[in-house]
């Protein structure tokens, strides 16, 4: 079992829908949780960053961490065709290596 | 500020040929990384350099070597390319601290025939 599991999709939704992207993990030491967005033929770019549990909101994006369930989510409200991309979750631990462990990424398609 | 730059953007090699992928960052970051990305496989760490003068193996180092030339530059070398190394290669950099985020380059698309 990989440390970080993420459904590769693709997830296809109509414009305006609320999108929920998720990752599960097995390492209880993970404390830092990140979401990267990767457009086709581009490098990943950081979208959201959260520490420990709770929610963080940035515009149409909300990142949620549930450490008791070892489950993180990224919600996108009022999704737009420009949100079509691959979303990768990443996480790292308080101790040990600071290098993040990435999920495989979920491909999101928002159609007009 | 260019961020992280990579050269070349595309490359086609024949089996057994060698080549070096170049990466440079202008953000004064301490740490640099090389990742491999295949469809549905996410990002796999090949090698990283925590600071100038140090390099360490990642998840998939076999068939690769790296050089941290200076603080700005981190190169990845394929000594004898194999078709299994057909992939997209991303370089990234970060400050190298605990609450760290990585900045990625645009990638190099490599095909080995």
């Amino acid at each position: 079992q990989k440390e970080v599991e993420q459904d590769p999709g693709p997830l296809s939704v109509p414009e305006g829908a609320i999108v929920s992207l998720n990752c599960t993990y097995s390492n209880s030491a993970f404390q830092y949780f990140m979401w990267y967005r990767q457009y086709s033929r581009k490098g990943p770019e950081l979208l959201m960053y959260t520490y420990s549990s709770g929610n963080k909101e940035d515009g149409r994006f909300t990142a949620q961490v549930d450490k008791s369930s070892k489950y993180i989510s990224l919600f996108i409200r009022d999704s737009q065709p420009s949100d079509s991309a691959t979303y990768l979750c990443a996480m790292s631990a308080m101790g040990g290596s600071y290098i993040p462990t990435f999920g495989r990424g979920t491909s999101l398609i928002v159609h007009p | 500020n260019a961020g992280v730059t990579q050269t070349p953007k595309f490359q086609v090699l024949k089996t057994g040929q060698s080549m070096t992928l170049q990466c440079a960052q202008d953000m004064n970051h301490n740490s640099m990384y090389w990742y491999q990305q295949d469809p549905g496989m996410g990002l796999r760490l090949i090698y990283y350099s925590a600071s100038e003068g140090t390099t360490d193996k990642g998840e998939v180092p076999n068939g690769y070597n790296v050089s941290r030339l200076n603080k700005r530059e981190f190169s990845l070398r394929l000594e004898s390319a194999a078709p299994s190394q057909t992939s997209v290669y991303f370089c990234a950099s970060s400050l190298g601290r605990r609450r760290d985020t990585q900045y990625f380059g645009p990638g190099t698309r490599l095909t080995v025939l």
Side-chain angles (χ1 to χ4, degrees):
Chain A
Q1 181 191 7
K2 286 177 69 71
E3 270 194 307
V4 178
E5 297 282 359
Q6 187 175 10
D7 188 333
L11 177 63
S12 182
V13 301
E15 183 176 354
I18 296 174
V19 174
S20 173
L21 303 165
N22 312 294
C23 288
T24 58
Y25 62 95
S26 57
N27 187 347
S28 57
F30 286 146
Q31 293 277 355
Y32 306 105
F33 303 93
M34 293 148 278
W35 286 96
Y36 285 81
R37 179 175 60 194
Q38 184 178 20
Y39 290 116
S40 180
R41 296 183 174 268
K42 301 288 187 183
E45 57 180 350
L46 182 70
L47 189 61
M48 298 281 284
Y49 184 108
T50 54
Y51 170 65
S52 194
S53 285
N55 292 1
K56 184 175 182 179
E57 190 173 318
D58 184 1
R60 295 185 296 111
F61 298 89
T62 299
Q64 194 172 76
V65 175
D66 181 349
K67 291 191 70 183
S68 61
S69 302
K70 297 192 180 68
Y71 189 90
I72 68 170
S73 300
L74 178 70
F75 297 97
I76 307 175
R77 291 185 299 281
D78 187 25
S79 57
Q80 303 295 310
S82 58
D83 295 326
S84 298
T86 295
Y87 292 79
L88 299 105
C89 63
M91 44 198 83
S92 60
M94 177 73 78
S97 173
Y98 58 83
I99 300 173
T101 300
F102 283 86
R104 295 186 177 190
T106 298
S107 175
L108 172 66
I109 302 166
V110 182
H111 51 86
Chain B
N1 258 2
V4 179
T5 57
Q6 292 182 236
T7 55
K9 286 187 169 48
F10 303 93
Q11 185 70 48
V12 179
L13 293 178
K14 294 181 180 177
T15 296
Q17 287 185 316
S18 62
M19 79 160 295
T20 300
L21 282 64
Q22 306 286 354
C23 175
Q25 52 91 9
D26 62 1
M27 295 174 281
N28 201 34
H29 283 167
N30 295 311
S31 299
M32 298 185 73
Y33 315 81
W34 277 105
Y35 287 94
Q36 182 181 41
Q37 187 176 45
D38 296 310
M41 295 299 291
L43 291 165
R44 291 184 291 179
L45 184 65
I46 305 172
Y47 270 95
Y48 68 100
S49 171
S51 60
E52 188 178 354
T54 68
T55 60
D56 284 288
K57 295 178 181 179
E59 183 185 352
V60 287
N62 291 344
Y64 305 94
N65 284 302
V66 291
S67 295
R68 183 75 182 265
L69 304 169
N70 48 55
K71 191 171 186 179
R72 288 187 65 247
E73 298 172 288
F74 189 37
S75 63
L76 178 72
R77 183 161 178 84
L78 287 71
E79 290 292 352
S80 179
S84 60
Q85 294 178 305
T86 294
S87 189
V88 182
Y89 293 86
F90 288 102
C91 177
S93 71
S94 73
L95 283 170
R97 297 176 189 167
R98 190 53 60 191
R99 297 179 68 167
D100 211 11
T101 57
Q102 295 182 334
Y103 295 82
F104 286 82
T108 294
R109 292 183 173 273
L110 175 66
T111 300
V112 183
L113 302 174

